[in-house]
Protein backbone atom coordinates (compact mmCIF):
# COMPACT_ATOMS: atom_id res chain seq x y z
CA UNK A 1 0.00 0.00 0.00
CA UNK A 2 2.80 2.40 0.82
CA UNK A 3 4.98 2.06 -2.25
CA UNK A 4 3.11 4.36 -4.58
CA UNK A 5 2.92 6.94 -1.80
CA UNK A 6 6.67 7.20 -1.44
CA UNK A 7 7.06 9.76 -4.19
CA UNK A 8 8.03 13.21 -3.09
CA UNK A 9 4.52 14.40 -3.78
CA UNK A 10 1.67 13.32 -1.60
CA UNK A 11 -1.40 12.07 -3.49
CA UNK A 12 -4.03 13.49 -1.15
CA UNK A 13 -6.86 11.27 -2.31
CA UNK A 14 -4.87 8.05 -1.85
CA UNK A 15 -3.39 9.33 1.36
CA UNK A 16 -6.78 10.05 2.90
CA UNK A 17 -8.13 6.66 1.79
CA UNK A 18 -5.16 4.80 3.20
CA UNK A 19 -5.22 6.78 6.44
CA UNK A 20 -8.96 6.18 6.87
CA UNK A 21 -8.50 2.47 6.32
CA UNK A 22 -5.62 2.19 8.78
CA UNK A 23 -7.23 4.39 11.44
CA UNK A 24 -10.57 2.58 11.29
CA UNK A 25 -8.74 -0.75 11.61
CA UNK A 26 -7.10 0.55 14.78
CA UNK A 27 -10.38 1.71 16.31
CA UNK A 28 -10.00 5.45 15.70
CA UNK A 29 -13.07 7.54 14.96
CA UNK A 30 -13.18 10.22 12.29
CA UNK A 31 -13.96 13.87 12.99
CA UNK A 32 -14.36 16.19 10.03
CA UNK A 33 -12.89 19.55 11.10
CA UNK A 34 -13.31 21.42 7.82
CA UNK A 35 -14.16 20.70 4.21
CA UNK A 36 -11.79 22.81 2.12
CA UNK A 37 -11.82 23.21 -1.65
CA UNK A 38 -8.77 20.91 -1.62
CA UNK A 39 -10.26 18.23 0.58
CA UNK A 40 -11.16 17.57 4.19
CA UNK A 41 -9.17 18.26 7.33
CA UNK A 42 -9.74 15.27 9.58
CA UNK A 43 -8.90 14.53 13.20
CA UNK A 44 -8.69 10.91 14.30
CA UNK A 45 -9.39 10.01 17.88
CA UNK A 46 -9.39 6.90 20.03
CA UNK A 47 -10.61 7.23 23.58
CA UNK A 48 -8.65 5.84 26.48
CA UNK A 49 -7.29 6.79 29.86
CA UNK A 50 -5.89 10.13 30.89
CA UNK A 51 -5.03 13.24 28.95
CA UNK A 52 -4.56 12.63 25.22
CA UNK A 53 -1.33 12.07 23.37
CA UNK A 54 -1.64 14.23 20.27
CA UNK A 55 0.30 14.05 17.00
CA UNK A 56 -0.03 16.56 14.16
CA UNK A 57 1.49 16.68 10.67
CA UNK A 58 1.09 18.25 7.27
CA UNK A 59 0.54 21.85 8.33
CA UNK A 60 3.32 22.82 5.90
CA UNK A 61 2.42 21.45 2.47
CA UNK A 62 6.02 21.10 1.26
CA UNK A 63 6.83 18.70 4.10
CA UNK A 64 5.28 15.36 3.04
CA UNK A 65 7.34 13.18 5.40
CA UNK A 66 5.14 14.09 8.38
CA UNK A 67 1.83 12.89 6.94
CA UNK A 68 3.46 9.75 5.57
CA UNK A 69 5.04 9.04 8.95
CA UNK A 70 1.67 9.55 10.66
CA UNK A 71 0.21 7.00 8.24
CA UNK A 72 2.99 4.51 8.96
CA UNK A 73 2.56 4.98 12.72
CA UNK A 74 -1.17 4.34 12.34
CA UNK A 75 -0.64 1.27 10.14
CA UNK A 76 1.86 -0.17 12.60
CA UNK A 77 -0.36 0.36 15.64
CA UNK A 78 2.15 2.71 17.25
CA UNK A 79 -0.36 4.74 19.24
CA UNK A 80 -0.72 3.42 22.78
CA UNK A 81 -3.95 1.47 23.23
CA UNK A 82 -4.23 2.29 26.94
CA UNK A 83 -4.63 6.04 26.55
CA UNK A 84 -6.60 8.68 24.71
CA UNK A 85 -4.93 9.44 21.35
CA UNK A 86 -5.53 12.17 18.77
CA UNK A 87 -3.95 12.33 15.32
CA UNK A 88 -4.31 15.17 12.77
CA UNK A 89 -2.26 13.87 9.82
CA UNK A 90 -2.83 16.47 7.09
CA UNK A 91 -3.69 19.92 8.40
CA UNK A 92 -3.06 21.86 5.18
CA UNK A 93 -4.77 20.08 2.26
CA UNK A 94 -4.26 22.99 -0.15
CA UNK A 95 -0.56 23.27 0.60
CA UNK A 96 -0.07 19.51 0.37
CA UNK A 97 -1.65 19.49 -3.10
CA UNK A 98 0.29 22.55 -4.26
CA UNK A 99 3.47 21.43 -2.44
CA UNK A 100 3.75 24.81 -0.79
CA UNK A 101 4.54 25.65 2.81
CA UNK A 102 1.53 27.97 2.90
CA UNK A 103 -2.13 27.22 2.26
CA UNK A 104 -3.79 27.97 -1.08
CA UNK A 105 -4.17 31.62 -0.06
CA UNK A 106 -0.53 32.08 0.85
CA UNK A 107 -0.92 31.95 4.63
CA UNK A 108 1.56 30.05 6.80
CA UNK A 109 -0.91 28.17 9.01
CA UNK A 110 1.80 27.40 11.55
CA UNK A 111 2.19 31.12 12.25
CA UNK A 112 -1.53 31.75 12.64
CA UNK A 113 -2.24 30.32 16.10
CA UNK A 114 -2.56 33.64 17.87
CA UNK A 115 -4.69 35.47 15.30
CA UNK A 116 -6.57 32.42 13.98
CA UNK A 117 -7.26 34.25 10.73
CA UNK A 118 -7.50 31.15 8.50
CA UNK A 119 -10.48 28.77 8.28
CA UNK A 120 -8.09 25.82 8.72
CA UNK A 121 -6.66 27.01 12.05
CA UNK A 122 -10.07 28.19 13.29
CA UNK A 123 -11.64 24.77 12.69
CA UNK A 124 -8.62 22.91 14.01
CA UNK A 125 -8.29 24.86 17.27
CA UNK A 126 -12.05 24.87 17.84
CA UNK A 127 -12.14 21.08 17.71
CA UNK A 128 -9.01 20.63 19.83
CA UNK A 129 -10.46 23.02 22.41
CA UNK A 130 -13.45 20.69 22.75
CA UNK A 131 -11.11 17.93 23.91
CA UNK A 132 -9.06 17.52 27.11
CA UNK A 133 -5.68 19.26 27.03
CA UNK A 134 -3.06 16.76 25.80
CA UNK A 135 -0.12 15.98 28.06
CA UNK A 136 2.05 15.14 25.06
CA UNK A 137 2.20 16.85 21.68
CA UNK A 138 4.34 15.62 18.77
CA UNK A 139 4.54 17.81 15.68
CA UNK A 140 6.20 16.51 12.49
CA UNK A 141 8.07 19.00 10.29
CA UNK A 142 10.94 19.25 7.82
CA UNK A 143 13.69 21.78 7.19
CA UNK A 144 15.18 22.61 3.79
CA UNK A 145 18.32 24.19 5.26
CA UNK A 146 19.76 21.42 7.42
CA UNK A 147 21.52 18.09 6.83
CA UNK A 148 20.78 16.43 10.18
CA UNK A 149 17.80 15.87 12.46
CA UNK A 150 16.86 18.27 15.21
CA UNK A 151 13.90 18.89 17.48
CA UNK A 152 12.30 21.53 19.66
CA UNK A 153 11.27 20.54 23.16
CA UNK A 154 8.88 22.70 25.18
CA UNK A 155 8.75 21.28 28.67
CA UNK A 156 6.69 22.79 31.47
CA UNK A 157 7.25 19.80 33.76
CA UNK A 158 10.19 17.77 34.97
CA UNK A 159 13.41 17.87 32.98
CA UNK A 160 14.43 14.58 31.39
CA UNK A 161 17.74 14.46 29.55
CA UNK A 162 17.48 10.74 28.88
CA UNK A 163 14.25 11.19 26.99
CA UNK A 164 15.93 13.65 24.63
CA UNK A 165 18.98 11.45 24.15
CA UNK A 166 16.71 8.44 23.57
CA UNK A 167 14.91 10.37 20.83
CA UNK A 168 18.19 11.23 19.08
CA UNK A 169 19.39 7.64 19.42
CA UNK A 170 16.17 6.37 17.85
CA UNK A 171 16.65 8.67 14.86
CA UNK A 172 20.41 8.14 14.53
CA UNK A 173 20.10 5.17 12.15
CA UNK A 174 18.72 7.68 9.63
CA UNK A 175 20.24 11.06 10.48
CA UNK A 176 22.93 12.46 12.72
CA UNK A 177 21.88 15.20 15.12
CA UNK A 178 22.22 18.61 13.48
CA UNK A 179 25.16 20.39 15.06
CA UNK A 180 25.12 23.93 16.37
CA UNK A 181 26.08 26.09 17.87
CA UNK A 182 22.84 27.55 16.53
CA UNK A 183 19.92 26.38 14.41
CA UNK A 184 17.49 28.95 13.06
CA UNK A 185 18.68 31.49 15.61
CA UNK A 186 18.35 29.12 18.57
CA UNK A 187 21.31 28.16 20.73
CA UNK A 188 21.30 24.40 21.18
CA UNK A 189 21.12 22.68 24.53
CA UNK A 190 22.88 19.73 22.92
CA UNK A 191 23.36 18.38 19.40
CA UNK A 192 19.99 18.48 17.62
CA UNK A 193 18.17 19.76 20.70
CA UNK A 194 16.46 23.16 20.94
CA UNK A 195 15.06 23.54 24.44
CA UNK A 196 12.48 26.21 23.80
CA UNK A 197 10.57 28.32 26.28
CA UNK A 198 6.80 28.45 25.97
CA UNK A 199 6.90 31.78 24.18
CA UNK A 200 6.84 32.44 20.44
CA UNK A 201 9.98 33.59 18.62
CA UNK A 202 7.83 36.24 16.96
CA UNK A 203 5.14 37.54 19.33
CA UNK A 204 2.69 38.02 16.49
CA UNK A 205 3.16 34.62 14.79
CA UNK A 206 2.41 31.63 16.95
CA UNK A 207 3.05 28.08 15.77
CA UNK A 208 0.82 25.25 16.96
CA UNK A 209 3.37 24.21 19.62
CA UNK A 210 3.09 27.60 21.35
CA UNK A 211 -0.70 27.48 21.25
CA UNK A 212 -0.59 24.01 22.79
CA UNK A 213 1.78 25.19 25.53
CA UNK A 214 -0.45 28.20 26.27
CA UNK A 215 -3.39 25.80 26.57
CA UNK A 216 -1.42 23.95 29.23
CA UNK A 217 0.09 21.04 27.33
CA UNK A 218 3.18 20.37 29.46
CA UNK A 219 5.38 18.60 26.93
CA UNK A 220 5.84 19.02 23.21
CA UNK A 221 8.32 17.82 20.63
CA UNK A 222 8.60 19.31 17.16
CA UNK A 223 10.70 17.10 14.88
CA UNK A 224 12.60 18.53 11.92
CA UNK A 225 14.00 16.17 9.29
CA UNK A 226 16.23 17.42 6.43
CA UNK A 227 14.17 17.89 3.26
CA UNK A 228 17.29 17.38 1.11
CA UNK A 229 17.51 13.73 2.17
CA UNK A 230 15.54 10.82 0.70
CA UNK A 231 11.85 10.81 1.64
CA UNK A 232 12.03 7.21 2.88
CA UNK A 233 14.71 8.23 5.38
CA UNK A 234 12.78 11.28 6.55
CA UNK A 235 9.64 9.20 7.09
CA UNK A 236 11.57 6.50 8.96
CA UNK A 237 13.26 9.09 11.17
CA UNK A 238 9.89 10.63 12.13
CA UNK A 239 8.43 7.19 12.84
CA UNK A 240 11.34 6.11 15.04
CA UNK A 241 11.44 9.44 16.85
CA UNK A 242 7.69 9.42 17.54
CA UNK A 243 7.86 5.83 18.79
CA UNK A 244 10.70 6.74 21.15
CA UNK A 245 8.73 9.64 22.64
CA UNK A 246 5.40 7.77 22.82
CA UNK A 247 7.05 4.85 24.61
CA UNK A 248 9.13 7.00 26.94
CA UNK A 249 6.99 9.99 27.87
CA UNK A 250 7.56 9.87 31.60
ZN1 LIG B 1 7.25 22.86 8.90
Amino acid sequence: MMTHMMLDMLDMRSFLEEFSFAAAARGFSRHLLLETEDGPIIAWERHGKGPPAYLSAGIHGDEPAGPLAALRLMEEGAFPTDRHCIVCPALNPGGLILQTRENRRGADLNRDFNHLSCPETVAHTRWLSSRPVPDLFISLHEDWETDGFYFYEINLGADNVRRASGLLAAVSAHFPAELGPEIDGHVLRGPGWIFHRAEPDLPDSWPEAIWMAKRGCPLSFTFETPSKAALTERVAAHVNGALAVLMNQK
Side-chain angles (χ1 to χ4, degrees):
M1 289 284 277
M2 282 293 288
T3 46
H4 69 279
M5 301 283 300
M6 297 309 285
L7 307 168
D8 261 29
M9 188 174 164
L10 197 72
D11 176 338
M12 275 298 282
R13 186 183 296 269
S14 311
F15 177 80
L16 292 172
E17 278 177 15
E18 291 183 23
F19 203 97
S20 296
F21 183 81
R26 294 287 174 183
F28 279 74
S29 56
R30 179 187 194 274
H31 299 272
L32 175 65
L33 307 192
L34 183 69
E35 194 67 67
T36 79
E37 63 197 282
D38 295 298
I41 298 176
I42 298 165
W44 294 91
E45 178 178 44
R46 188 175 61 200
H47 288 285
K49 282 199 306 248
Y54 166 46
L55 181 137
S56 91
I59 199 165
H60 288 144
D62 58 348
E63 301 175 8
L68 291 169
L71 173 59
R72 173 99 45 97
L73 288 161
M74 187 59 81
E75 288 177 333
E76 294 182 357
F79 297 101
T81 51
D82 61 346
R83 64 177 300 183
H84 192 167
C85 291
I86 293 170
V87 183
C88 292
L91 285 166
N92 179 3
L96 287 163
I97 285 171
L98 296 170
Q99 294 182 273
T100 57
R101 177 181 175 90
E102 295 81 11
N103 72 358
R104 184 171 283 280
R105 284 170 184 76
D108 185 337
L109 299 177
N110 207 35
R111 298 290 179 271
D112 189 45
F113 281 81
N114 51 329
H115 293 298
L116 301 175
S117 61
C118 300
E120 294 95 329
T121 43
V122 168
H124 174 206
T125 54
R126 181 179 296 155
W127 186 81
L128 284 176
S129 297
S130 74
R131 294 299 187 270
V133 177
D135 68 356
L136 174 64
F137 173 46
I138 302 173
S139 178
L140 306 183
H141 283 262
E142 305 199 56
D143 190 328
W144 287 91
E145 293 172 356
T146 53
D147 297 305
F149 173 88
Y150 68 96
F151 67 96
Y152 297 82
E153 176 177 354
I154 299 176
N155 187 347
L156 308 177
D159 196 16
N160 187 335
V161 174
R162 288 178 62 190
R163 185 174 49 216
S165 57
L167 163 55
L168 289 172
V171 171
S172 65
H174 304 285
F175 298 113
E178 179 78 3
L179 298 175
E182 290 194 357
I183 301 172
D184 220 2
H186 299 93
V187 176
L188 301 187
R189 178 169 173 181
W193 185 9
I194 298 171
F195 199 70
H196 202 283
R197 61 202 179 104
E199 294 298 329
D201 294 333
L202 303 170
D204 216 29
S205 306
W206 292 16
E208 186 180 13
I210 295 298
W211 185 81
M212 290 299 299
K214 298 287 189 191
R215 268 197 83 203
C217 176
L219 184 62
S220 84
F221 291 92
T222 298
F223 297 171
E224 301 275 355
T225 57
S227 297
K228 288 181 258 185
L231 182 60
T232 49
E233 294 293 304
R234 285 137 57 199
V235 172
H238 276 311
V239 167
N240 287 359
L243 280 169
V245 172
L246 285 166
M247 299 304 151
N248 190 26
Q249 181 181 0
K250 301 300 179 198

